[in-house]
Amino acid sequence: MKYLVTLALTTLLFILPLTANATEQQLLQRLDAFLYGASINDAEIHNDFWHSDLIYTSSAGTRFGKAELMQGVRETGPVEESAVSTWYGAEDVNIRIFDNVALLTFKLVGKTDELTEYYLNSGTFVRENGKWQAINWHATKAAD
């Protein structure tokens, strides 16, 4: 019996980090796919990434929801890869998972042919029906 309890505890200690790691990988993949989609202004990727109850605080100091964000994406329209002016990526990604809520912080990197800009971004994600979506987002231009 003692052996079975020890085996069960050892198995749990091994599986729990793997589960957290798998969730982190899911979130990293969502972020990477989103940043590509943001670079080409893909409305479908935006729509899938943002939760319907989104609160977005922009680096310009404005706050709005998903409807306003999607309106801007649709008005601008998609951009062909060959015509992208700014490619977005992430550095220094930190993920903290709390059941069905995850916090992501990262340095957003926006690269043009002439310039690289950095923003400090924070996102709160919720998992509903097995899908992670950003429900709160904050972007701040990084200090020089």
Side-chain angles (χ1 to χ4, degrees):
M1 180 68 171
K2 185 177 177 182
Y3 172 76
L4 290 176
V5 170
T6 303
L7 180 62
L9 288 175
T10 303
T11 302
L12 274 177
L13 290 175
F14 181 73
I15 290 174
L16 288 176
L18 291 178
T19 303
N21 192 34
T23 302
E24 286 181 17
Q25 288 303 313
Q26 281 181 320
L27 288 162
L28 283 171
Q29 288 171 355
R30 295 253 323 135
L31 179 62
D32 286 343
F34 168 71
L35 292 174
Y36 171 80
S39 298
I40 63 169
N41 204 45
D42 185 303
E44 187 176 320
I45 290 174
H46 272 280
N47 191 52
D48 187 57
F49 187 77
W50 303 114
H51 191 277
S52 59
D53 290 326
L54 172 70
I55 300 170
Y56 189 107
T57 305
S58 75
S59 62
T62 58
R63 184 168 285 155
F64 45 87
K66 183 175 182 175
E68 296 88 351
L69 186 146
M70 292 305 301
Q71 179 181 352
V73 169
R74 289 188 178 106
E75 286 175 358
T76 302
V79 177
E80 292 293 325
E81 278 191 23
S82 61
V84 170
S85 60
T86 305
W87 284 102
Y88 295 104
E91 294 179 355
D92 304 327
V93 179
N94 182 290
I95 300 172
R96 295 184 184 170
I97 301 164
F98 307 93
D99 296 322
N100 290 318
V101 174
L103 304 176
L104 272 72
T105 60
F106 64 98
K107 185 187 296 184
L108 176 72
V109 181
K111 290 187 178 188
T112 68
D113 289 338
E114 301 85 30
L115 181 66
T116 300
E117 293 186 300
Y118 299 95
Y119 297 83
L120 303 178
N121 283 15
S122 300
T124 303
F125 288 74
V126 293
R127 180 173 41 199
E128 293 178 348
N129 302 316
K131 181 178 182 178
W132 289 100
Q133 287 184 299
I135 195 166
N136 187 283
W137 201 261
H138 191 110
T140 301
K141 181 130 175 66
D144 293 332

